[in-house]
């Protein structure tokens, strides 16, 4: 991210004494002193000083100098001084420079000739250039290539002046002859660019006559060829399209990677045939695997993603080539590769993709990978997406991923358990093996959230007798001996798992507190937190299996409530599948003992925090259910929960399908559109690529692929009036926001009868906006107009303001006139777009982001869903809360919104509103982001739109009142006029 940097350089402003010192040094004969004086003079000129008295001194004492440094500084001085008078004519003093420039152009020193020719490229005065033209043309035949390349550039610059064709009328012919005989790469490139800009037909003719040798040209000239082909084809001149495609295809094997990259992009813009798209995609993939720069890889992935949006069927064939980019160590590259591959999945390649991802997961087990946990999490999410879309591949990876349930990276472990939960519901054939695998690996889980989800899975999908019994045994083993603590005769509270102490040396970190026993004596109790120091061979795994016990002893009573619910479900299901009542009663008794032990632990006084009310109520409910169970309650606990989960998955899949349909580009052809049937055309001389291109163009024309959905009304809305109609200069701007750039196309109209001189559009910005170009001066004839373009760089998602004025001079008034412009407010909505993310990701970002903006609800809308839709439409965000969660009329509404900016910033919004007794809505809208700018700008936008809703609701009332007031004013004016006429 580019950050502003300021450097304060101290420089004394010019004074009479300093000017005299510079003049004295210039008049001396010391070369280094004269060069230093020229540097000081140039610095003063660049800082706004004029120094008109130095010009004659420089002409007299600097022009004759033969020092190369002094001559180079002289050319810089001549470049930055004002060479025109107020009338726009060249200064008479500039004629004195012509003889020196002519001598330099004929100097025996190649360096002096070259820098002088380069200086002539920046001159725009015909009076100065006209006597120098013969010397410039003579340098086209100089023996040194340095002179020839700058001579061609000078000829091109002179010819492109407003009256340059009068100075060198035969410049295109001269340059064409020069190009045919030149051998230097840079000189040939300059000559070819001159023909492209000034005589495009000659450039095209030269290119087509040398089409067979283009692959042998230097890379500088090849880049110019690609630019010419793009320019010609963009002008709708497609007569030689086949030959252009042949040239581009031959350049795909060039040695320069820059040429190859540009050719691939040009090929796609020229042809949409599958062969051309496939060649471009293969080229991008080759560059992706050969380039080591991560920025280059990201750019190539963006190009491949653009091809995917337009030519997905062709891109499917290169999905394995794209996957090879996962070898890059950069996580951003890996993330983009996985996102691109997931959009290219088909039933044919999904098995290969999953197998490749499976190998990558195995590689992450090695500890030599940097950020291996994050990469593993990305792979798990990618495999999850593959298995959801194509359930048949889940069986090949789910057992491997279940080994990572105990991963130290909690986020990766959560993704794995969520993947297991979804697959076990959508793939009934895998349930038995997955339940058994989960039972075997359950003791490895160390994260509370993963344990909770795994317990829910075991409680819901353990259906057979053996599965239920194994699950209950596993849970008891992970809980350890009961009760969780005991009070010894000496009054010390210790862990009841004393059998492990003989084998496992533990360090007990206890929180000791004095308590009063039943007999009135004092005792000390402590919580047992075990740290394994030296496990033995026989019983070394005992402490590692007590994961549930350690988590509950740490105060996680939410997990304890989940354990109680899971045991309740297992006991209820055991009563259905176990014919023996004795075993069922035994299991029920064990579950009751565990729950009471948890409650006893939660109500003890030595834990830092006692059990919370929600967990307590949940565990008590489980106790009551096991003591007295009805058929309705049994049905709810054993079937309804799983049905709700299946319904949630179905709704999620339906929502994703609807989003894909909405993203699909639907285009329709107009009834009178022209369709060319290539079957009726002559195929003589056409290549296979041209034939495919003809077919593809016909299909696009028939299906409306060429129709543009540009909304002219939307374009008109982007035109902003900058000045008033009564101002002498009228200006309006068309604002185009394209990601990191803002382009202002300002139309300036001179409404006076005078010529406006030195007209300048001065702009300034507020916020993270930066002007790119320096303002230029223009001369505007009476009642004429001028198009001025200003480029502005955007560095962050923040509302910015562009303000400024127009300054000009007239011949009648010596002072400069100023017209102040209206401010241009850059809307944050141009930077953000709706996006989706998982609920887990949303919660993690919500907890991580530090900037929050809290906006109170203030609206006249009285319906909760209507207000939510109004906020979604106003902020251009996406609602992550499913529609089923918003159904019903309860007077409350809570929803999460999400959007992503073009700079990769995340915008999170939570809406919590309540309907009051009087029908009004109250609540808060909270915005969170990583940066302050997007939080504040989005909050201001929401506040403004809330007021806008009030204004829209009261619009008719205001209009009605305005009409009434207007009619009263009319009556009063007419009455006054009538009374005046009577007098």
């Amino acid at each position: 991210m580019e950050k502003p940097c300021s450097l304060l350089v101290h420089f004394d402003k010019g004074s009479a004494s300093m000017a005299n010192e510079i003049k004295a040094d210039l008049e001396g004969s010391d070369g280094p002193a004269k060069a230093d004086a020229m540097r000081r003079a140039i610095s003063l000129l660049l800082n706004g000083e004029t120094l008109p008295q130095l010009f004659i001194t420089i002409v007299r004492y600097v022009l004759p100098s033969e020092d190369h440094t002094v001559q180079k500084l002289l050319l810089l001085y001549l470049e930055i001084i004002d060479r025109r008078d107020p009338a726009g004519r060249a200064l008479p003093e500039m004629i004195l420079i012509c003889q020196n420039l002519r001598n330099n152009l004929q100097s025996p020193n190649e360096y002096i000739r070259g820098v002088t020719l380069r200086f002539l490229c920046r001159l725009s005065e015909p009076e100065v250039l006209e006597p120098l033209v013969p010397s410039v043309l003579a340098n086209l035949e100089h023996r040194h290539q340095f002179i020839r390349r700058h001579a061609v550039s000078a000829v091109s610059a002179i010819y492109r002046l407003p009256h340059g064709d009068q100075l060198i009328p035969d410049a295109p012919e001269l340059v064409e002859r020069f190009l045919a005989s030149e051998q230097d790469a840079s000189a040939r490139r300059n000559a070819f660019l001159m023909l492209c800009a000034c005589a495009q037909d000659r450039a095209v003719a030269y290119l087509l006559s040398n089409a067979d040798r283009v692959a042998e040209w230097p890379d500088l000239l090849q880049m110019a060829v690609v630019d010419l082909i793009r320019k010609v084809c963009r002008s709708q001149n497609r007569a030689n399209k086949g030959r252009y495609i042949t040239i581009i295809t031959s350049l795909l094997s060039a040695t320069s990677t820059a040429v190859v990259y540009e050719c691939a992009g040009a090929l796609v813009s020229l042809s949409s045939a599958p062969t051309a798209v496939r060649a471009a995609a293969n080229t991008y993939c080759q560059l992706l695997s050969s380039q080591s720069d991560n920025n280059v890889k990201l750019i190539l992935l963006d190009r491949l993603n653009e091809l995917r949006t337009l030519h997905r069927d062709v891109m499917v064939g290169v999905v394995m080539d794209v996957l090879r980019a996962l070898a890059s160590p950069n996580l951003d590259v890996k993330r983009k590769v996985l996102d691109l591959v997931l959009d290219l999945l088909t039933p044919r390649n999904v098995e290969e993709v999953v197998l490749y991802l499976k190998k990558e997961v195995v590689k992450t087990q090695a500890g030599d990978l940097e950020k291996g946990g994050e990469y593993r999490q990305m792979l798990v999410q990618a495999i999850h997406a593959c298995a959801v879309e194509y359930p048949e591949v889940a069986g090949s990876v789910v057992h491997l991923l279940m080994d990572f349930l105990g991963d130290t990276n909690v986020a990766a472990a959560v993704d794995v358990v969520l993947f297991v939960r979804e697959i076990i519901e959508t793939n009934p054939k895998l349930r038995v093996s997955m339940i058994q695998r989960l039972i075997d690996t359950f003791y490895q889980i160390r994260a509370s959230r993963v344990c909770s989800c795994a317990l829910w899975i075991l409680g819901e999908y353990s259906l057979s007798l053996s599965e239920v019994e194994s699950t209950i045994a596993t849970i008891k083993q992970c809980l350890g001996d009961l009760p969780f603590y005991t009070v010894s005769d000496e009054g010390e509270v210790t862990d009841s798992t004393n059998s492990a102490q003989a084998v496992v040396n533990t360090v007990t970190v206890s929180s000791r507190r004095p308590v009063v026993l039943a007999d009135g004596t004092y005792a000390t109790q402590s919580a047992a937190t075990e740290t394994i120091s030296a496990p033995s061979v026989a019983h070394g795994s005992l402490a590692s299996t007590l994961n549930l016990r350690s988590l509950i002893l740490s105060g996680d009573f939410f997990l304890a409530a989940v354990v109680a619910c899971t045991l309740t479900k297992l006991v209820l299901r055991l009563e259905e599948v176990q014919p023996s009542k004795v075993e069922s009663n035994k299991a029920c008794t064990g579950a009751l003992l565990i729950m009471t032990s948890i409650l006893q632990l939660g109500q003890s006084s030595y834990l830092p925090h006692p059990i919370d009310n929600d967990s307590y109520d949940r565990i008590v409910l489980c106790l009551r259910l096991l003591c007295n169970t009805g058929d309705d309650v049994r049905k709810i606990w054993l079937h309804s929960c799983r049905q709700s989960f299946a319904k949630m998955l179905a709704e999620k899949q339906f929502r994703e399908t609807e989003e894909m349909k909405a993203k699909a580009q639907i285009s329709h052809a107009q009834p009178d559109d022209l369709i060319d049937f290539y079957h009726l055309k002559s195929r003589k001389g056409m290549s296979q690529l041209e034939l495919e291109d003809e077919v593809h163009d016909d299909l696009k024309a028939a299906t409306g692929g060429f129709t543009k959905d540009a909304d002219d009304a939307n374009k008109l809305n982007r035109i902003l009036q900058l000045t008033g109609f009564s101002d002498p200069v009228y200006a309006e701007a068309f604002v185009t926001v394209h990601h990191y750039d803002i382009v202002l196309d300002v139309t300036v109209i001179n409404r006076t009868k005078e010529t406006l001189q030195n007209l300048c559009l001065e702009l300034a910005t507020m916020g993270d906006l930066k002007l790119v170009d320096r303002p230029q001066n223009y001369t505007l004839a009476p009642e004429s107009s001028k198009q001025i373009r200003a480029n502005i760089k955007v560095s962050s998602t923040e509302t910015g303001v562009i303000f400024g004025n127009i300054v000009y001079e007239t011949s009648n008034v010596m002072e400069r006139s100023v017209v102040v412009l209206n401010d241009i407010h850059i809307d944050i909505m141009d930077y953000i777009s709706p996006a989706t993310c998982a609920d887990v990701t949303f919660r993690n970002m919500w907890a991580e982001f530090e900037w929050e903006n809290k906006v109170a609800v203030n609206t006249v809308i009285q319906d909760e869903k209507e207000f939510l839709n109004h906020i979604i439409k106003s902020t251009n965000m996406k609602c992550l809360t499913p529609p089923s969660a918003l159904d019903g009329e309860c007077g409350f509404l809570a929803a999460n919104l999400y959007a992503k900016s073009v700079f990769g910033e995340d915008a999170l919004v939570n809406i919590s509103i309540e309907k009051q007794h009087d029908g009004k809505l109250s609540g808060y809208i909270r915005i969170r982001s990583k940066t302050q700018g997007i939080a504040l700008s989005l909050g201001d936008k929401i506040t403004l739109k809330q007021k806008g809703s009030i204004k829209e609701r009261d619009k008719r009332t205001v209009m009605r009142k305005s009409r009434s007031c207007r009619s009263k004013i009319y009556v009063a004016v007419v009455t006054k006029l009538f009374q005046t006429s009577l007098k």
Side-chain angles (χ1 to χ4, degrees):
M1 184 68 69
E2 183 182 359
K3 296 183 178 179
C5 178
S6 300
L7 177 64
L8 180 62
V9 179
H10 175 69
F11 187 81
D12 292 330
K13 301 187 80 174
S15 60
S17 59
M18 183 178 292
N20 293 331
E21 292 177 3
I22 294 174
K23 185 177 180 180
D25 290 339
L26 292 176
E27 292 175 354
S29 59
D30 188 6
K34 191 174 292 188
D36 183 65
M38 287 295 296
R39 291 191 184 94
R40 284 183 287 163
I42 292 172
S43 299
L44 287 172
L45 288 170
L46 292 176
N47 280 273
E49 301 293 333
T50 56
L51 303 179
Q53 67 274 18
L54 289 182
F55 186 80
I56 299 300
T57 304
I58 289 174
V59 170
R60 291 181 60 188
Y61 297 101
V62 178
L63 283 182
S65 177
E66 296 181 357
D67 189 285
H68 293 175
T69 304
V70 174
Q71 287 295 323
K72 182 178 180 180
L73 292 172
L74 171 63
L75 295 177
L76 290 175
Y77 171 80
L78 295 176
E79 183 179 343
I80 63 177
I81 63 172
D82 192 1
R83 300 184 296 271
R84 294 182 180 271
D85 58 12
R89 296 183 297 270
L91 292 173
E93 293 85 352
M94 290 299 298
I95 305 301
L96 302 174
I97 308 297
C98 290
Q99 184 59 39
N100 177 265
L101 295 177
R102 186 186 296 110
N103 295 337
N104 287 349
L105 292 175
Q106 298 172 0
S107 172
N109 186 279
E110 290 85 0
Y111 176 76
I112 295 298
R113 285 198 185 199
V115 295
T116 306
L117 288 168
R118 190 165 55 189
F119 166 71
L120 293 182
C121 296
R122 297 171 174 84
L123 282 182
S124 58
E125 291 77 20
E127 301 89 343
V128 181
L129 292 171
E130 184 175 4
L132 303 177
V133 168
S135 301
V136 173
L137 297 179
N139 282 303
L140 288 174
E141 301 176 358
H142 196 273
R143 60 180 178 80
H144 203 284
Q145 58 191 17
F146 178 74
I147 307 298
R148 295 196 303 272
R149 73 176 65 146
H150 288 298
V152 173
S153 299
V155 170
S156 175
I158 294 172
Y159 188 77
R160 281 184 289 179
L161 291 175
H163 301 286
D165 54 346
Q166 299 177 7
L167 298 176
I168 314 178
D170 57 343
E173 300 175 8
L174 293 174
V175 173
E176 188 176 11
R177 290 198 300 269
F178 172 84
L179 183 60
S181 58
E182 182 58 41
Q183 299 299 323
D184 180 61
S186 297
R188 293 175 67 187
R189 191 270 309 269
N190 293 344
F192 190 77
L193 289 177
M194 186 270 176
L195 292 179
C196 294
C198 305
Q200 192 177 96
D201 295 339
R202 293 179 181 271
V204 171
Y206 177 79
L207 173 62
L208 296 180
S209 61
N210 297 275
D212 298 335
R213 296 190 294 273
V214 173
E216 303 172 0
W217 288 358
D219 55 349
L220 294 175
L221 195 54
Q222 288 174 347
M223 293 288 285
V225 166
V226 176
D227 292 337
L228 174 65
I229 292 176
R230 280 179 170 169
K231 187 184 298 183
V232 171
C233 293
R234 196 179 294 120
S235 62
Q236 304 301 326
N237 184 9
R238 309 172 75 89
N240 297 310
K241 179 180 175 181
R243 302 186 66 179
Y244 294 145
I245 293 177
T246 303
I247 294 173
I248 293 293
T249 306
S250 65
L251 290 178
L252 289 177
S253 58
T255 56
S256 173
T257 54
V259 174
V260 172
Y261 172 78
E262 293 294 335
C263 287
L267 185 60
V268 175
S269 63
L270 281 176
S271 172
S272 55
T275 304
V277 177
R278 192 175 297 109
N282 289 331
T283 301
Y284 286 142
C285 291
Q286 291 174 5
L287 293 174
L288 190 62
S289 60
S290 62
Q291 298 300 309
S292 59
D293 192 346
N294 292 327
N295 294 320
V296 175
K297 289 180 180 291
L298 293 173
I299 293 173
L300 291 169
L301 289 170
D302 288 337
R303 300 290 84 77
L304 288 170
N305 194 31
E306 292 174 0
L307 288 181
R308 177 198 59 82
T309 57
L310 299 174
H311 311 279
R312 186 181 184 277
D313 296 338
V314 179
M315 284 294 297
V316 166
V318 298
V319 63
M320 298 307 297
D321 297 328
V322 176
L323 271 176
R324 294 190 183 94
L326 289 176
S328 173
N330 186 268
L331 285 181
D332 294 330
V333 175
K334 294 176 183 292
R335 187 176 292 106
K336 276 205 169 186
V337 169
L338 292 176
D339 292 340
L340 178 59
V341 168
L342 291 179
D343 291 331
L344 296 174
L345 289 179
T346 62
R348 292 184 178 182
N349 62 19
V350 65
E351 293 185 1
E352 287 184 275
V353 171
V354 171
L355 182 61
Y356 195 97
L357 297 179
K358 184 178 178 181
K359 293 179 181 179
E360 290 294 316
V361 172
V362 175
K363 289 180 183 179
T364 60
Q365 290 180 305
D368 54 350
L369 280 179
E370 184 181 359
K371 297 182 179 180
E374 296 182 29
Y375 181 39
R376 189 184 307 121
Q377 181 184 0
M378 292 162 51
L379 291 172
V380 170
Q381 293 173 352
I383 294 175
H384 187 180
C386 295
V388 169
E389 190 171 356
Y390 300 96
E392 61 272 10
V393 301
S396 60
V397 293
V398 66
H399 294 92
L400 172 67
L401 294 181
M402 291 179 73
D403 292 335
F404 297 99
L405 288 173
D407 197 345
T408 54
N409 186 357
V410 179
V414 169
D415 288 332
V416 171
V417 77
L418 294 179
F419 169 68
V420 171
R421 186 182 67 175
E422 188 165 349
I423 295 303
I424 204 171
E425 169 62 30
T426 56
N427 291 265
K429 297 180 181 179
L430 300 175
R431 286 180 182 173
V432 177
S433 59
M434 291 177 66
I435 287 295
Q436 187 59 44
R437 183 70 173 171
L438 184 58
I439 292 173
D440 295 338
T441 58
F442 183 80
Y443 71 94
Q444 301 176 358
I445 302 174
R446 290 293 177 265
S448 173
R449 188 172 178 189
V450 181
C451 277
S452 301
C453 191
L455 287 171
W456 185 89
I457 295 172
L458 292 174
E460 289 292 334
Y461 297 99
S462 297
L463 303 179
S464 64
L465 178 61
S466 59
E467 292 174 350
V468 173
E469 291 178 346
S470 300
T471 303
I472 294 176
T474 301
I475 294 175
K476 288 183 176 181
Q477 181 183 2
C478 293
L479 288 173
D481 295 338
L482 298 177
F484 290 98
Y485 66 94
T486 56
V487 181
S488 62
D489 295 337
E490 291 79 7
E492 183 177 357
V493 179
T494 59
D495 195 335
S496 60
T497 313
N498 294 323
S499 59
Q501 295 178 359
V503 185
V504 183
N505 298 327
T506 62
V507 179
T508 303
V509 182
S510 58
S511 176
R512 300 178 177 271
R513 294 183 182 180
V515 295
V516 181
L517 299 180
D519 57 354
T521 60
Y522 288 90
T524 304
Q525 62 181 6
S526 61
T529 304
E530 299 168 346
T531 303
I532 303 170
S533 58
S536 67
V537 178
H539 302 278
S541 61
L542 178 59
S544 62
T545 60
L546 303 178
N547 54 347
L548 290 179
R549 185 184 190 90
S550 60
L551 290 172
I552 293 175
L553 286 176
S554 65
D556 190 352
F557 287 103
F558 176 79
L559 177 62
V562 175
V563 171
C565 294
T566 303
L567 289 174
T568 303
K569 293 178 183 178
L570 292 173
V571 170
L572 294 178
R573 187 167 288 112
L574 185 64
E575 294 176 357
E576 292 184 351
V577 299
Q578 174 63 264
S580 175
K581 294 294 183 181
V582 177
E583 296 295 330
S584 302
N585 294 335
K586 183 178 180 180
C588 181
T589 305
L592 292 173
L593 178 60
I594 293 173
M595 296 178 198
T596 52
S597 299
I598 293 173
L599 291 177
Q600 182 184 11
L601 175 66
Q603 293 177 340
S604 60
S605 60
Y606 69 87
L607 284 181
H609 300 285
I611 186 171
D612 57 284
N613 294 332
D614 292 337
S615 300
Y616 178 83
D617 294 340
R618 191 71 173 169
I619 297 174
V620 170
L621 176 63
C622 295
L623 287 171
R624 292 176 179 175
L625 289 175
L626 291 181
C627 296
N628 185 13
T629 306
D631 294 337
D632 295 336
V633 175
R634 185 185 300 273
K635 182 180 179 181
I636 292 174
W637 278 72
L638 297 182
H639 302 287
S640 298
C641 188
R642 198 185 323 155
Q643 292 173 359
S644 300
F645 179 63
K647 183 179 179 182
M648 186 191 76
L649 292 179
E651 184 179 355
K652 177 183 175 184
Q653 186 176 3
F654 174 76
R655 210 171 35 190
E656 293 175 353
T657 306
E658 292 297 323
E659 290 176 0
M660 293 179 61
K661 290 180 180 179
K663 290 181 180 179
Q665 297 180 355
I666 302 175
S667 55
H668 303 282
Q670 297 297 325
D672 56 348
D673 285 349
L674 178 65
I675 299 177
D676 294 330
F677 292 94
Y678 83 102
H679 302 279
L680 306 179
K681 292 182 179 179
S682 175
R683 304 186 188 182
K684 186 177 181 180
M686 296 181 67
S687 62
Q688 181 64 27
L689 182 59
E690 292 179 82
L691 291 175
E692 290 183 8
D693 203 26
E694 292 285 343
V695 176
H696 199 269
D697 287 350
D698 291 344
L699 290 175
K700 290 180 70 175
T703 57
F706 290 135
T707 58
K708 295 182 179 180
D709 297 331
D711 189 5
D712 295 334
N714 190 25
K715 288 186 176 181
L716 292 176
N717 291 335
R718 292 185 175 272
I719 296 179
L720 303 176
Q721 182 179 344
L722 301 181
T723 62
F725 292 110
S726 61
D727 290 324
V729 177
Y730 176 76
E732 63 182 17
F734 177 75
V735 183
T736 303
V737 180
H738 183 71
H739 295 300
Y740 298 89
D741 300 314
I742 298 176
V743 180
L744 299 180
D745 291 313
V746 183
T747 303
V748 180
I749 302 175
N750 181 9
R751 304 185 63 205
T752 66
K753 302 294 183 180
E754 300 177 352
T755 300
L756 304 183
Q757 300 172 0
N758 295 329
L759 185 142
C760 180
L761 175 65
E762 299 178 349
L763 297 176
T765 60
M766 182 182 297
D768 288 339
L769 306 176
K770 184 174 67 173
L771 287 170
V772 178
D773 303 324
R774 295 179 62 184
Q776 298 181 3
N777 293 335
Y778 303 94
T779 301
L780 213 57
E783 298 182 352
S784 63
S785 62
K786 181 71 178 178
Q787 295 285 338
I788 303 175
R789 172 167 290 189
N791 295 313
I792 298 172
K793 279 287 183 182
V794 185
S795 58
S796 70
T797 309
E798 185 177 349
T799 300
V801 180
I802 304 172
F803 55 94
N805 48 54
I806 294 178
V807 183
Y808 62 90
E809 297 176 354
T810 59
S811 57
N812 299 334
V813 184
M814 299 303 295
E815 297 180 356
R816 307 188 74 182
S817 301
V818 179
V819 178
V820 180
L821 305 178
N822 292 331
D823 297 343
I824 301 175
H825 295 268
I826 303 302
D827 196 354
I828 188 178
M829 296 299 104
D830 295 324
Y831 303 138
I832 66 174
S833 57
T836 58
C837 69
D839 293 338
V840 178
T841 308
F842 186 92
R843 285 194 292 269
N844 292 337
M845 289 190 293
W846 187 268
E848 176 186 353
F849 292 170
E850 57 182 1
W851 289 103
E852 177 176 320
N853 190 3
K854 193 173 182 180
V855 179
V857 174
N858 180 20
T859 180
V860 295
I861 300 176
Q862 297 186 356
D863 184 72
E864 304 95 330
K865 295 178 184 177
E866 182 183 353
F867 179 75
L868 174 62
N869 294 331
H870 175 71
I871 295 298
I872 293 173
K873 183 179 179 181
S874 303
T875 57
N876 196 26
M877 303 187 77
K878 182 175 180 59
C879 182
L880 300 182
T881 307
S884 59
L886 302 174
D887 290 341
E889 298 292 339
C890 61
F892 297 90
L893 187 143
N896 294 329
L897 310 183
Y898 179 67
K900 206 173 185 65
S901 72
V902 295
F903 309 101
E905 300 170 328
D906 301 292
L908 313 179
V909 173
N910 173 262
I911 300 177
S912 300
I913 53 179
E914 176 187 2
K915 194 167 187 177
Q916 301 294 332
H917 297 292
D918 56 358
K920 294 183 179 180
L921 298 181
S922 65
Y924 292 96
I925 302 173
R926 299 186 347 184
I927 305 116
R928 285 196 182 183
S929 65
K930 188 175 291 186
T931 58
Q932 181 185 15
I934 189 171
L936 295 178
S937 301
L938 201 56
D940 295 341
K941 185 71 176 180
I942 292 175
T943 303
L944 182 64
K945 286 298 180 179
Q946 285 193 110
K947 295 179 179 179
S949 64
I950 298 175
K951 292 179 181 179
E952 291 174 4
R953 185 64 63 90
D954 297 339
K955 192 173 183 180
R956 295 182 179 179
T957 305
V958 172
M959 291 180 64
R960 192 179 301 114
K961 291 181 179 179
S962 64
R963 290 195 194 101
S964 176
C965 294
R966 199 179 302 122
S967 61
K968 293 179 180 178
I969 293 173
Y970 289 160
V971 172
V973 170
V974 171
T975 305
K976 187 69 175 178
L977 290 174
F978 181 71
Q979 293 175 355
T980 304
S981 62
L982 288 177
K983 291 181 181 179

